[in-house]
Amino acid sequence: MTDTTSKLDNAAIDFDTGKPAAWSVATWFAILSMAATSFALVSAEFLPAGLLTPMARDLGITEGTAGQVVTATASVGAVTALLSNVFIGRLNRKGVLVGLSALAIGSNILAALASDFWLLLVGRAGLGIALSGFWALSVAVVARLVGANATGRGMAVVTLGVSLATIAAPSMGALISDWLGWRIAMAMTAGLAALAMLLQALSLPTLPASTSNSLADVFRLTARRGVQLGMLAILLLMTGHFAGSVYLRPFLEQVTHLETEWLALALLGFGIASVIGNVAGGRMADASIHLALGVTAALMAVAALALVLSGAHIGVAFTFVSLWGFAFGMAPVVLPTNLSRGAPDALEAAGSLMVVSFQVAISIGAVLGGYVVDHYGAVGPLTVTAVLAASTIALALLQPRS
């Protein structure tokens, strides 16, 4: 787009338009600023995975207690997602996005300087607000930047930052922590957020609010069948994914009997495949969201089932761990785009429900997977993944076509 104001300010989004137009340089920069923000926020979210030991030692707490910084981020994010679009009212969405990046900067600095566990939790809670606010607005903003019929492609670019951060943050955090200390590693995420904020300020067009949502407006959307099915798809597929993916490493160690170097290579394959799946998901979501949802679920179900049945063989394990990664890369693009089809006139409110659905799915998946692995071993959580992903295939067939 070449003007300074979004062209879709006051109209409901029509997802059935023709071939997407080529993006201008200005549009590319705007979308890349959103991708940079997702990378900065998700890097900060996943960073503690590589910092728990030195963080716990420095603050005089157990590693289990230190791990609650992740819980704080997710818990605050789930609550904030419901209220974010109510709080921002009719504020310009560009200003809101820049403000959320500023909040991430401050939160990461506070966490880096925290002298005790409670200050660290406050900093992480602020990050949870920034994360949930950003993702609640993401689909609506992307649709306004690139046009409704290119939303999947736009979200693929934005969520590419998620895939890259998921791969890089834990390992880079551990390396930087060993070299310079965990506080420096945490402070560097503030630098990433500052760069993202600068890119947003320079490249995003002004985005006047097209609506002002109340909490009642958000809940009213849940009466729509398309929204219900979209939320259910997120709950099923992401609960299945997080129930099983957390225990991929124990599975590969105990069932496939991979040594450390081969284990790292298999997980790297998962990450690389997720980046490729991210791009493929965007293309497919714009072409046919129903097909995209069915394919995403089918690939994850097949991958998990194959691992359960034949995962003791190294070749099978490598192949289907990568296939699982490909499906997971598609999911953050396909699932939000699918949900948005049920509320083309209320994308921001639908974004709030999307974030809540993801957070609930992550929580349920973690609890369910932990219970199953304790009672049924490393194969159990992957069986759950296969069953829930297969259920999502059936759900895709029920999606309304209008």
Side-chain angles (χ1 to χ4, degrees), residues 140 198 215 372:
L198 178 62
L215 194 57
V372 172

Side-chain angles (χ1 to χ4, degrees), residues 367-383:
V367 172
L368 180 60
Y371 174 84
V372 172
V373 77
D374 285 344
H375 289 79
Y376 301 100
V379 174
L382 276 65
T383 305

